[in-house]
Amino acid sequence: MGSDSLTTPDVRRLLAALANAEARRVFAEISVGGTPGGSLSPARLARALKLLDQAGLVETVETEGGIRYRIPEHVFRDALASLSPAPSKPGVERFLTADGRIDRYPARETERRKLLAWVAKRVLDTSERMAERELNERLARFTGDVPMLRRYLVDSGIVSRTSDGSSYWLAPKDGEVDGND
């Protein structure tokens, strides 16, 4: 038997071997240090061991007392490493949960501003002014910490407010005149 432990395991072959009930039983027995296949016929045991060996899940070790089997320590680590990482989401979606709430704020200023602008466009229209309470209700769709999000929007200059904080609106973009005074 003896598969080449230097090759990267084929993840499909590894999973296929573990999908086989007899191979899985033999694998479990080997993993706890037991004698494999006590309840299997010699032919079924040989098939299960061959399947596990071909998948790289077991190694044959010759000892003075005969043949032993062991599980290579690297097999699952190597199998995981061979998988390509999950594709990352584009744009601001990287910072949102599946239901559209903010998962985390980006560390980079430019990315944080993009996320805040994205939120602001969804809660305020360009000519709209609103009271803090209404703004808070709208921001609650995106976060559990509404005061922090509101503060970020104002501090970044994306949303403006009156000095007493009673009214909020989208800040004019560079070069635009604010007609909300």
Side-chain angles (χ1 to χ4, degrees):
M1 287 185 211
S3 64
D4 181 3
S5 64
L6 297 177
T7 61
T8 302
D10 177 357
V11 176
R12 289 179 186 231
R13 184 175 278 183
L14 189 144
L15 291 173
L18 292 175
N20 178 291
E22 291 176 347
R24 193 171 52 248
R25 181 183 309 142
V26 170
F27 179 80
E29 291 167 346
I30 294 169
S31 69
V32 295
T35 303
S39 62
L40 299 175
S41 70
R44 287 181 174 226
L45 175 59
R47 266 196 309 272
L49 286 168
K50 182 177 180 182
L51 191 60
L52 293 170
D53 181 61
Q54 289 174 338
L57 285 167
V58 296
E59 294 177 331
T60 305
V61 179
E62 293 187 33
T63 64
E64 290 178 15
I67 295 176
R68 274 189 46 243
Y69 301 95
R70 69 174 179 207
I71 298 169
E73 292 182 26
H74 61 83
V75 69
F76 291 107
R77 182 183 61 242
D78 292 351
L80 285 170
S82 74
L83 298 174
S84 60
S88 64
K89 295 177 185 176
V92 299
E93 291 180 8
R94 294 176 303 184
F95 308 106
L96 303 175
T97 61
D99 62 350
R101 294 176 62 81
I102 297 171
D103 179 44
R104 67 191 184 286
Y105 289 95
R108 290 181 23 209
E109 176 75 22
T110 56
E111 295 292 321
R112 189 171 35 251
R113 283 191 58 80
K114 286 178 186 177
L115 175 64
L116 294 171
W118 181 87
V119 169
K121 286 173 103 174
R122 281 153 182 75
V123 297
L124 287 162
D125 289 328
T126 51
S127 62
E128 182 177 32
R129 271 187 181 250
M130 71 176 55
E132 181 176 311
R133 182 177 182 181
E134 185 178 357
L135 178 64
N136 289 347
E137 289 171 3
R138 292 183 185 185
L139 292 176
R141 293 187 339 227
F142 298 98
T143 185
D145 191 347
V146 171
M148 183 173 70
L149 176 55
R150 189 182 64 240
R151 191 169 35 255
Y152 282 167
L153 288 166
V154 172
D155 290 350
S156 68
I158 294 171
V159 171
S160 295
R161 68 179 186 141
T162 56
S163 58
D164 65 358
S166 63
S167 185
Y168 292 80
W169 63 92
L170 279 177
K173 295 179 184 166
D174 291 339
E176 290 182 8
V177 177
D178 183 7
N180 288 327
D181 289 324

